[in-house]
């Protein structure tokens, strides 16, 4: 069953004085099945960020539709959008987006606080998540007191504590060293195996090679897609690398 349905998305930006128009997305169509782990790749300027912003309901398309569990995101009123995002979407950002004046625990609790959840329920949800992510002993620390990898683990906890239908990850390993990146990718794989649906935008071949499917965006369209199947991570890495080479050298679509 498709949890996310993207149909004929087009996005055209008009410059400040209306003199020029830039087409960021020209015709993007794809589905994401419930429990799937999908990576989106493409060169800078290919439309990845624009696509993610539309899927996150942070931007609206010029035309086309996005359905999340049958609900048309484009039709959600602006006044209801923040609540919709809190209830249905979890976010993991490259720069963590943690508040330095809040402890890690309070950062993780924030979406539940905004949703009006009682403290005892927040604590009940946090305990198993913090244990699984290995951050139980640092919850009272502040972001500036912990490592990048620990910040990102807290950000992942914040994303999943609301039990979202879909996690959107924007370059989640981009600000991490190789060791912390590997740890985060192992966490993503574990979260995915628990049944969580994940859509990740990344430049990292290593990150993408952990996904069950990779979509390649070029010139505002889905140019190619690749399923993991029975491939090992090493085999997936090589196939992704070959496809990116084809994209940059102008090879034929397959």
């Amino acid at each position: 069953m498709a949890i996310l349905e993207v149909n004929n998305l087009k996005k055209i930006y008009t410059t400040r004085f209306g003199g020029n128009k830039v087409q960021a997305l020209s015709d993007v169509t794809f589905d994401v099945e419930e429990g799937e782990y999908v990576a989106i790749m493409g060169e800078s300027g290919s439309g990845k960020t624009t696509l993610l912003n539309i899927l996150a309901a942070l931007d609206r398309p010029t035309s086309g539709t996005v359905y999340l569990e049958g609900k048309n995101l484009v039709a959600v009123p602006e006044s209801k959008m923040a609540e919709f995002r809190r209830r249905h979407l979890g976010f993991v950002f490259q720069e963590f987006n943690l508040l330095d004046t809040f402890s890690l625990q309070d950062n993780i609790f924030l979406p539940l606080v905004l949703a009006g959840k009682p403290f005892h329920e927040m604590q009940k949800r946090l305990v198993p998540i913090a244990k699984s992510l290995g951050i139980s002993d640092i919850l009272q620390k502040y972001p500036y007191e912990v490592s990048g990898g620990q910040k990102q683990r807290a950000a992942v906890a914040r994303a999943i504590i609301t039990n979202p239908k879909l996690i959107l990850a924007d370059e989640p390993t981009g600000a991490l060293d190789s060791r912390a990146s590997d740890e985060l990718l192992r966490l993503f794989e574990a979260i995915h195996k628990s049944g969580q649906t994940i859509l990740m935008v990344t430049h990292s071949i290593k990150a993408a090679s952990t996904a069950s499917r990779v979509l390649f965006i070029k010139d505002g369209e889905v140019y190619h897609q690749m399923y993991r199947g029975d491939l090992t991570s090493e085999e997936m890495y090589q196939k992704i690398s070959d496809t990116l080479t084809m994209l940059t050298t102008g090879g034929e679509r397959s």
Side-chain angles (χ1 to χ4, degrees):
M1 174 186 173
I3 192 171
L4 180 70
E5 300 173 63
V6 179
N7 303 301
N8 307 114
L9 277 192
K10 179 187 288 186
K11 180 64 179 182
I12 299 173
Y13 292 102
T14 303
T15 55
R16 184 177 178 185
F17 298 106
N20 295 303
K21 293 185 177 181
V22 177
Q23 186 155 322
L25 299 176
S26 55
D27 186 14
V28 173
T29 297
F30 66 93
D31 292 345
V32 175
E33 299 294 315
E34 186 170 6
E36 202 174 5
Y37 180 7
V38 178
I40 296 178
M41 301 194 80
E43 295 180 280
S44 296
S46 61
K48 302 188 307 298
T49 299
T50 298
L51 175 60
L52 190 70
N53 285 341
I54 292 173
L55 299 182
L58 297 171
D59 197 0
R60 292 182 182 269
T62 302
S63 62
T65 57
V66 178
Y67 287 90
L68 180 62
E69 281 204 320
K71 180 77 171 182
N72 187 358
L73 269 65
V74 180
V76 177
E78 200 65 44
S79 59
K80 301 286 186 181
M81 193 58 78
E83 179 187 357
F84 181 87
R85 282 193 290 266
R86 282 198 304 272
R87 291 182 61 185
H88 298 285
L89 301 172
F91 301 94
V92 181
F93 303 96
Q94 177 176 342
E95 299 297 336
F96 320 125
N97 284 21
L98 299 174
L99 300 174
D100 276 339
T101 54
F102 282 23
S103 67
L104 295 184
Q105 175 175 283
D106 288 343
N107 269 284
I108 296 166
F109 281 164
L110 189 56
L112 297 181
V113 171
L114 294 172
K117 299 296 183 183
F119 184 69
H120 68 84
E121 181 178 339
M122 294 191 287
Q123 283 186 308
K124 184 178 178 180
R125 289 195 193 188
L126 177 59
V127 170
I129 291 173
K131 184 178 179 180
S132 67
L133 296 180
I135 57 173
S136 300
D137 59 340
I138 60 169
L139 290 174
Q140 301 310 316
K141 291 184 178 292
Y142 289 82
Y144 55 82
E145 296 179 309
V146 301
S147 69
Q150 290 170 323
K151 289 179 188 177
Q152 196 60 295
R153 284 169 179 258
V156 171
R158 181 184 57 193
I160 64 178
I161 200 168
T162 59
N163 300 318
K165 301 300 182 185
L166 176 67
I167 287 181
L168 297 172
D170 185 11
E171 300 286 0
T173 62
L176 303 178
D177 60 30
S178 59
R179 180 178 176 182
S181 293
D182 290 346
E183 290 176 351
L184 180 69
L185 294 174
R186 283 194 290 270
L187 286 174
F188 267 37
E189 288 185 89
I191 292 167
H192 166 235
K193 286 177 181 176
S194 74
Q196 178 67 59
T197 310
I198 303 173
L199 184 69
M200 171 177 63
V201 166
T202 183
H203 280 101
S204 167
I205 299 175
K206 189 170 188 178
S209 66
T210 64
S212 54
R213 179 162 56 116
V214 183
L215 296 175
F216 298 89
I217 304 292
K218 181 178 181 180
D219 300 329
E221 296 183 27
V222 176
Y223 181 85
H224 180 68
Q225 65 177 326
M226 177 189 305
Y227 287 87
R228 181 186 190 88
D230 296 326
L231 296 176
T232 65
S233 292
E234 291 76 17
E235 291 169 335
M236 190 70 168
Y237 185 103
Q238 189 58 55
K239 285 197 70 175
I240 293 170
S241 180
D242 292 344
T243 301
L244 289 174
T245 299
M246 178 187 70
L247 288 175
T248 56
T249 57
E252 290 298 317
R253 185 193 313 237
S254 61

